[in-house]
Amino acid sequence: MDQHEQPIPIASSSNGRVSGKPWKHQKAATVRSHLQPALKSNGFSNRMEKATKAQAIKKLQAELKDEKQAEIQKYELLNSVLLTLTVSILL
């Protein structure tokens, strides 16, 4: 390197590094514009109402499922008791 030649200063960036590749563009934050206008305009209270309704529906579904399962178990128990009684009568 010549004494008259000064090193080329590197441009500073937020991280202190620059790509150095002229074809690489500076990255920017992603703009998410794929949301529908109806979704953007809904307020927090509307979202919370929908969430509470969905939670209530899930709770009701769980209760119905538990009732159905209890009914099935009751029916199976009754069948097993009847089967043992029938077998004991036949013997």
Side-chain angles (χ1 to χ4, degrees):
M1 199 193 262
D2 255 343
Q3 291 178 350
H4 302 291
E5 200 176 309
Q6 294 292 330
I8 300 171
I10 297 177
S12 63
S13 69
S14 59
N15 293 333
R17 293 191 63 204
V18 174
S19 171
K21 300 176 182 177
W23 63 89
K24 294 272 188 173
H25 299 291
Q26 184 69 28
K27 292 185 179 179
T30 305
V31 178
R32 307 209 184 275
S33 62
H34 61 275
L35 288 178
Q36 300 169 356
L39 292 175
K40 289 181 184 178
S41 64
N42 283 348
F44 180 75
S45 58
N46 290 343
R47 289 196 305 270
M48 287 299 106
E49 272 184 40
K50 286 181 184 179
T52 27
K53 285 180 184 178
Q55 191 176 12
I57 289 171
K58 285 182 182 180
K59 186 176 179 181
L60 181 61
Q61 286 176 341
E63 288 176 5
L64 292 174
K65 184 178 178 182
D66 290 342
E67 287 178 9
K68 187 175 181 180
Q69 189 65 29
E71 209 172 294
I72 290 171
Q73 288 177 351
K74 180 181 167 186
Y75 178 75
E76 289 174 352
L77 179 65
L78 184 61
N79 277 343
S80 65
V81 169
L82 286 176
L83 181 64
T84 54
L85 285 175
T86 306
V87 169
S88 65
I89 291 174
L90 290 176
L91 295 177

